[in-house]
Amino acid sequence: MDEQEIKKLKNYAVWLLSRQEYSESGLTQKLLQKGATAAVAEQLVSWLKSLDYVNDDRYAESFLNRQIAKGLGEKRVLMDAGQKGVSREVLHTLIAEREIDWYMQAAKTYEKKVRYLRTTDRI
């Protein structure tokens, strides 16, 4: 790859990160899909990691917050984590630190859905 292509990939990676948080593996996948070689993708991700633009711990916390906001349970969160490149060990640690009450989470989600169904029946 020439310098021009690498510069385009670098700009693409920064642009992606300006829009949303990515895990190392997720960003690597995006770069590979864009045409980067494995070595160039690894080099770019390492550079972004050194600047703290890519941080798997921060991404895991953000991922957990989004999943909880959706009303998903622990098993679903852990299952989706593998697809997004989030370490299950890191998620287990975050869940233990927060002491999430999954029963209360399910009850809130149930109430939210029942409330929605009741309002749509009146139409």
Side-chain angles (χ1 to χ4, degrees):
M1 296 192 91
D2 66 349
E3 290 297 318
Q4 187 67 22
E5 290 174 334
I6 293 174
K7 187 174 181 179
K8 283 182 182 180
L9 287 169
K10 186 184 282 190
N11 288 337
Y12 176 68
V14 171
W15 177 77
L16 284 173
L17 290 169
S18 72
R19 300 183 76 221
Q20 74 178 45
E21 192 88 34
Y22 283 90
S23 65
E24 288 179 42
S25 64
L27 186 59
T28 302
Q29 281 300 116
K30 288 284 192 180
L31 290 170
L32 291 173
Q33 289 172 357
K34 195 69 172 175
T37 63
V40 169
E42 184 179 325
Q43 180 185 7
L44 286 175
V45 171
S46 294
W47 172 70
L48 291 165
K49 192 174 174 184
S50 72
L51 296 173
D52 199 34
Y53 291 167
V54 176
N55 184 320
D56 277 351
D57 292 336
R58 187 175 60 223
Y59 178 75
E61 191 167 345
S62 172
F63 173 79
L64 182 59
N65 289 337
R66 284 192 314 271
Q67 299 300 85
I68 290 173
K70 289 180 187 176
L72 301 178
E74 183 176 17
K75 289 185 181 192
R76 176 69 186 270
V77 169
L78 293 172
M79 183 181 73
D80 290 350
Q83 296 171 349
K84 293 290 186 176
V86 177
S87 166
R88 287 181 178 223
E89 291 78 30
V90 172
L91 269 182
H92 280 296
T93 304
L94 285 172
I95 290 168
E97 286 174 0
R98 291 185 179 192
E99 298 176 359
I100 298 169
D101 184 353
W102 294 105
Y103 178 79
M104 285 298 298
Q105 187 69 24
K108 285 180 191 176
T109 302
Y110 174 79
E111 284 297 319
K112 183 177 171 183
K113 289 186 179 190
V114 166
R115 212 173 319 126
Y116 173 75
L117 291 174
R118 287 183 185 151
T119 59
T120 58
D121 286 342
R122 295 180 188 156
I123 296 175

